[in-house]
Amino acid sequence: MATIPIGTDRTVAAVRAARRGYRVLQNLPLIPLLILGALTAMAVLAPVVAPHSKLDPVKPTREQCLAKFNFPDCPYVDNAPPFWARGGTLDTPLGTDSLGRDVLSRLMHGARISLIVALTGTLFAGAIGTVLGVLAGYMGRWWDEIIMRITDAWLTLPSLVFAILLSSVREPGLWNVVLILALVFWSRYSRAVRGEVLTLRERDFVKLAEINGIGKPTIIRRHLIPNVMNTVMVLFSLQVGVAVIIEASLSFLGFGVPPPEPSWGLMMAQERESLMEGRWWLEVFPGICITMLVLSANMLGDWLRVRLDPQLRNR
Amino acid sequence: MLKRSFAILLVLTLTCGVVWGQPILSGPLAKLDIKDARVEPARPKPKGTLNIGLHFGIDPGWLDPLGYYGAAHQFYYLMHDALIKPMPQGEFTYSLAEHAEVSADFTRAAFRLRPGLKFQDGRPLTTADVKWTYENYRGLNFKPLQDKLDRIEIVDDRAIVFHFKGPFVDFLDLYNGSGSGAGWIVPKHYYERVGKEAFNARPMGAGPFKFVSQEAGVRVSVEAWDEYWRRPPGVKFINVRGIRDLAGRVAGLETGELDLAYGMTGKLLQRVMADPKLRWNPNFTSPWHLVFPGYNEPTSPFHDKRVRQAISLAINRQFLTRQETQGIGKPWGNWISHETRDALRGDGTDLPVPPYDPGKAKSLLAEAGYPNGFDFDWYVPFAPYYDMAERILNDLRAVGMRSKMQMLDAPAYMAQTSKGRKGFPGNRTIVQRIDPRPGGAKALIRLYAVCAGQASYICEPRLEALWAKHEASIDPVERDRLSRELQRLIVEEYYLVPLYLQPFVHAVTQKVLPEGEAVQRYWDTLNAPFPWPWEVWEVKG
Amino acid sequence: MKKYILVRALYSVVTLWLLVTLIFALVRLTGDPVAMKAEAGADPAYVAQLRHSWGLDQPLPRQYAGFVGRLLRGDFGHSFEKSLPVRDIYFERLPNSLKLGFAAFVISLALGVPFGMLSALKVNSVWDNAGKMIALLGLSMPGFFVGLVLIIVFGIELGWLPVLGKGSSTFVWSAPSTWATFWFSDWGHLVMPAFALGWYFSGAMLRITRSGMLDVLGSDYIKLVRLKGVPEAVVVAKHALKNSMIPVLTFAGLNLLIMVNVSIVIEVIFNWPGVGQLLYDALSNRDFPMVQGVVLMSGLLIVLLNFAIDVLYGCVDPRIRLSR
């Protein structure tokens, strides 16, 4: 019989915990988490870390004014290139736009806008959709019929079209875009959640709770909602990417966050002409930022889906 | 011998005079300044295709003069014709009419049509069509035209007399093809046969080009009508395409898909100017200006004239025009386009160019009781010139006046401004505006600067007194003088703050003839937002 | 079975009615189009006459009743901006959108399916990871970004492809000769917008093909075929490919519809005169009938497609039609 020396329990436990932690870390999708982490850090710290203001033009030096306008005094220097090109300075490392504002600072503040809009919009959509889906799945015939018919009607509207329509109803603004995203996307959740709840309510623990006389609201709260969270989380992470693209498209078309706020989609829309002028950096940098955010959100979503759905795990 | 030839000559002249220049109206006539048309029937056959890039989508309703308003002008000069219309020769030029008279008391107006006029389907154009068009016109300004009309008298196939209930001094301004659509003659027989909707789908008129086909909202294609009374057009086909997006229009010019494009603004103007293969015309429209809804309320910060003057002094117009228009735009001291005949020029000849003096602006603000400046509610930009609004806001912020932009897209902006004072609640708003409408300074004053003006924020007793005198007078010289006095007063009291004269640049490619800078002659017509007339355009190949 | 179809049809009708009501309400909340169309200084009489001719001076319930009544007769009203019947304008533009949609669809298949197959056959290898990354990239780059880059590179810098519109060929319903020629002309104009639109969906196609192939390759049927000694190439080409196409094609059908609707941004950038641009113009100008008409037409197509799919599934899988 093997003996375990006394006194090494704690070490063994510690080693085991470390091994587990290492395995968890190994299984985590590092790249998307890193990208998302960087973007989130940028967004949160933007007001502190950004070198210049997001709205006001960069105050230029005498030399810059002289170089560009042959005049010692000017309100701003516009269209400065990134620091590696001729005419660029490290003060504005990614250049300035046509109103003399620093591109890097605007990108950082833009991360805030994109993340806030995408995350809160999808969150609200998820909340509404989950509640309605649970009600539809659990509460019985009439609830189900009504909610599902409304969901179907909602789903036939293409999301971008619906979003533009809603944005014409209210004045453009950041929280209006959040509201729009919530209103457009809740229907995607309610469908999936309803399906889950239909299966869940046949399960033993739910039936047991019902027999014991526990009220419906409590059952929903204690048993149903926690168990649909898996599906909801997967949907959520996949929808965040879509939300970012919809917000960018809305701002691009002029229906989203209004100027002068530095939404990435808006920056791309405003600088289309600069692209033709050869000032590609004004257009490409926001585009890359959008792509990075959506990419990492999608990768994270994929990983979550695989983790939470045992059938897919071995693919 | 000499006596007899003299007698014959006299008789001949008298007969000719009787037959040809016979006045239609009796009694003393008002002096009119209408230029003659240049008829050139012996021109070579039309050839080539001209592709035009319009900066807004096309509404097929514009092809019908009976519903005229604003932007439709583009198409009237293409497919329709009017009795008198603005041409390079002058603001009033004979077109379908060869002779016009207005009685000295402005209660009657008469026209005689040219002989042998036809519509594009070959049927004759007569005074019956003129009368029918006037009576069925329901577009912009149809109310004054209807209300003031007593009756229309058709003297014969070519002569027609309008009788008015009272002196109608502005009749020619309204009938001139730009103030309303009543002057653009619509074929009665065709319109009544096919109805309004089919007319919009397949219009027909008496203009130099015939309708060929259209894709609703996207493209209208027309073909030259060789039998146009004035001359056969120079170009065989014209395609007008609606391309809302500036980058698209410039790209079209560069790839050759477009030959003429409008609205080269903002960032791409520099590219257009620098491109040796493109030629451009500044095409000045009208001055930008700032207005202050509710300024005459005592609680408004703009109530004090010094504050408004400070706003004018705070804006660096030179830098603004350089950034917005590559320096083409001209800082201007008036809010009315200089090309209308009774307007004061704002370049220093009539009214001074507003100076830039932020130091004085700050001291004026301090005098008015705002030593640290103040916050106001909104700055409303003119869509889509949001960059320009941000530059102006920066200037204002530099002297202490702080605010944010109220984002209204074009339809919302139109809706708010057309409601007049009710369009902007509160009295702490600045609205940026431009209005290149035709009709002379008086049309703009009537709309924007008197108490009764529909879109007016201005109501001052001195202006009202002058305006009342203007409306009561039937002497055009006196009216012009009063109009100028009104403009001077408005500018000197800073009821409006003018900015700069807006160029709405048009660009053409190498394909358009004549080569070189002689092409600028296409833009000779005064106060014209587009380079009409179209029958004189020529292209290569 | 009949009961099932009837129930499904009823559901579709209810959905459509809800859609109609929703659109009616939303569109009217966006503002007053009469005030937006009439210029400053327009005669009140002109404005009033405009309002009357557009039917906006009637009380809301009457407007609604009139709207639904006309819809049932197939009359979508007259566009405010374009002064012609909405239905005519919509069907004039629809072939343009379909042409773009089909081309994008073909491109998404041509890009997605081969790479998907490659990923599935060499699962968990470098090829697979590359394939997955390409798919993700496709799903992450916004279509307008791709479109803009294409315009600059191929349109302006290199000058290979035209950048405006769809070319001069038109699909004219009244001219049958154009019915065939339209789809095959002006390819130069079609390449860039179709690529920009199809790029996004090629990512989805890649993944569906991959998972479909993996499903089939792991199935018993394929194991049997392999045991019989059929060469691998034939296994893949003849058996696996055919069976894995079913989910691809189902998804593709839905994608086509989505593409036609999502193409707004692409159509705006490339000035492509399709249904998306029509909708964008109408929304920008508060053209109520046009917005209603376009959205309802798209909704109608989607509802019909869903109905057809439901019926098809009901035929194929008895459990579905016998359940609640």
Side-chain angles (χ1 to χ4, degrees), chain A residues 144-145 283 299 302 315, chain C residues 11 136 148 207 215 324:
Chain A
D144 191 9
E145 289 302 328
E283 187 79 15
M299 282 170 83
D302 275 351
R315 290 280 188 77
Chain C
Y11 280 175
L136 270 178
L148 287 172
R207 298 169 115 191
D215 269 337
R324 183 173 66 84

Side-chain angles (χ1 to χ4, degrees), chain A residues 144-145 149 153 156-158 161-162 164-165 168 253 255 268 272 275-276 283 291 295 298-299 302 315, chain C residues 11 15 19 26 30 136 140-141 144-145 148 152 156 207 215 261 279-280 283 291 295 302-303 324:
Chain A
D144 191 9
E145 289 302 328
R149 287 318 114 225
T156 55
L157 282 173
V161 171
F162 195 16
I164 299 178
L165 199 58
S168 324
L253 289 175
F255 292 107
M268 289 181 76
R272 281 185 62 191
L275 190 57
M276 288 183 70
E283 187 79 15
T291 308
L295 188 66
N298 281 344
M299 282 170 83
D302 275 351
R315 290 280 188 77
Chain C
Y11 280 175
T15 308
L19 188 63
L26 273 180
T30 63
L136 270 178
S140 308
M141 278 175 82
F144 57 90
F145 189 31
L148 287 172
I152 295 303
I156 299 186
R207 298 169 115 191
D215 269 337
N261 290 315
L279 187 61
Y280 176 65
L283 282 165
V291 172
V295 175
I302 294 185
V303 167
R324 183 173 66 84

Side-chain angles (χ1 to χ4, degrees), chain A residues 91-114:
Chain A
D91 187 39
T92 53
L94 291 181
T96 59
D97 65 4
S98 54
L99 281 172
R101 300 174 294 205
D102 176 35
V103 172
L104 181 62
S105 312
R106 283 174 66 84
L107 282 179
M108 292 173 82
H109 280 95
R112 284 194 117 178
I113 293 181
S114 294

Side-chain angles (χ1 to χ4, degrees), chain C residues 55-107:
Chain C
L56 294 174
D57 53 350
Q58 295 173 337
L60 268 180
R62 272 192 66 189
Q63 285 188 42
Y64 181 67
F67 175 59
V68 175
R70 282 190 297 274
L71 267 186
L72 289 173
R73 274 180 279 143
D75 175 11
F76 285 83
H78 271 64
S79 161
F80 291 168
E81 275 312 296
K82 297 188 168 54
S83 316
L84 290 175
V86 168
R87 198 183 44 201
D88 294 350
I89 303 179
Y90 183 84
F91 281 106
E92 188 183 52
R93 297 274 190 118
L94 188 61
N96 299 331
S97 277
L98 285 177
K99 184 175 176 183
L100 183 62
F102 276 131
F105 178 61
V106 164
I107 288 183

Side-chain angles (χ1 to χ4, degrees), chain B residues 218-261:
Chain B
V218 171
R219 176 188 56 85
V220 170
S221 295
V222 296
E223 183 183 354
W225 183 42
D226 294 354
E227 291 144 54
Y228 183 55
W229 61 268
R230 195 184 149 214
R231 50 162 289 174
V235 180
K236 181 106 171 87
F237 295 104
I238 295 187
N239 295 318
V240 183
R241 304 173 59 174
I243 300 173
R244 292 221 302 197
D245 162 59
L246 172 62
R249 291 197 297 281
V250 176
L253 283 175
E254 301 200 342
T255 59
E257 294 166 74
L258 295 175
D259 305 308
L260 162 68

